Amino acid sequence: MKLIFATHNLHKIKEIKEIIADSPKYAIVGLNDVGEYSPIEETGLTLVENALIKARFIWDKHGVPCFADDTGLEVEALRGAPGVYSARYAGESSSYQDNVDLLLKNLQGVHNRKARFLTVIALIIEGQKYLFEGEVRGEILLSNNGTGGFGYDPVFRPEGFSQSFAEMTPELKNSISHRGIAIRKLIEFLTARVDSAK
Ligand code: ITT
């Protein structure tokens, strides 16, 4: 089954391909692979709304099974920020490091470092929409640690681990991450759907 993944984020595509590597039935193609080079405007106020906007845009144009991932980092002491604005926390064209720097600045002297990553995946298949969520709890470190992963990975340490996401192998991050949890739910759903149609 070919699935269009409505993202321009090559890190997300890499992670998802690694996560589903043992489910060879599913071929994932990103937006660049189907000639969609312009950004899809994320005008929603929640992760669910933005995931649906991205998936719906591609379904309406291409009419093939597609899904989108909207992810946010929610920091307790910042009342859930950056949340839905995680990609543009330090401004519209900010880099990953700009966002991390602002986060560390806003948490200077703050003792409560609790945070969570939340991924919402919206799938559209035959015009019907389905949602899948994945969450991982942890804390924001005092400075960058590690060079792997992307985004806020160097400053996020998941609960029960001594390393940041950026210090982990991709396999370890994928096995416990918000995105790993949500994608495995998506694959289980698709597999059960195919099996029940047999
Ligand atoms: P698409 O909308 O094209 O999928 P995006 O990067 O804009 O790509 P989001 O709107 O979901 O994706 O933005 C979420 C931001 O949160 C992203 O830009 C990263 O800064 C961060 N992020 C998402 N997943 C992450 C992860 O697994 N580890 C660290 N940071 C992550």
Side-chain angles (χ1 to χ4, degrees):
M1 177 190 276
K2 178 176 145 184
L3 289 162
I4 300 180
F5 181 15
T7 185
H8 288 108
N9 186 322
L10 301 181
H11 297 282
K12 287 186 181 177
I13 295 178
K14 176 176 174 285
E15 285 191 356
I16 285 187
K17 285 188 171 170
E18 286 165 357
I19 294 163
I20 66 154
D22 50 1
S23 310
K25 286 189 290 229
Y26 303 103
I28 307 289
V29 295
L31 289 183
N32 294 339
D33 302 318
V34 295
E36 295 284 354
Y37 301 111
S38 308
I40 303 172
E41 238 193 299
E42 297 181 40
T43 51
L45 298 179
T46 62
L47 299 178
V48 169
E49 282 173 17
N50 280 341
L52 284 169
I53 287 170
K54 292 185 270 190
R56 174 68 62 195
F57 180 88
I58 294 306
W59 169 262
D60 288 345
K61 266 184 93 173
H62 294 261
V64 297
C66 59
F67 68 97
D69 157 327
D70 210 54
T71 295
L73 174 68
E74 298 177 353
V75 179
E76 196 172 275
L78 301 176
R79 295 183 302 281
V84 72
Y85 302 106
S86 294
R88 40 201 155 121
Y89 189 42
E92 273 306 326
S93 50
S94 46
S95 68
Y96 290 144
Q97 195 54 51
D98 293 338
N99 290 332
V100 165
D101 288 345
L102 181 61
L103 179 67
L104 293 180
K105 183 167 163 260
N106 289 343
L107 285 176
Q108 249 167 31
V110 175
H111 291 291
N112 175 9
R113 316 284 299 187
K114 281 188 200 157
R116 68 166 183 167
F117 271 115
L118 186 61
T119 290
V120 174
I121 288 181
L123 167 74
I124 304 188
I125 193 161
E126 290 169 7
Q128 300 292 313
K129 54 181 201 252
Y130 305 91
L131 295 169
F132 307 90
E133 274 190 19
E135 179 208 59
V136 62
R137 292 180 176 275
E139 66 166 23
I140 304 299
L141 298 168
L142 295 171
S143 59
N144 282 284
N145 284 261
T147 54
F150 69 102
Y152 298 91
D153 281 347
V155 292
F156 183 83
R157 186 185 63 75
E159 246 171 45
F161 291 84
S162 56
Q163 317 104 292
S164 73
F165 267 159
E167 292 176 302
M168 293 182 172
T169 61
E171 293 74 25
L172 180 55
K173 180 188 171 190
N174 292 336
S175 71
I176 58 167
S177 77
H178 42 297
R179 182 162 297 106
I181 294 167
I183 279 290
R184 284 189 289 275
K185 288 182 186 171
L186 167 73
I187 294 298
E188 265 169 43
F189 169 82
L190 288 172
T191 305
R193 196 171 174 277
V194 169
D195 287 346
S196 71
K198 277 182 191 160

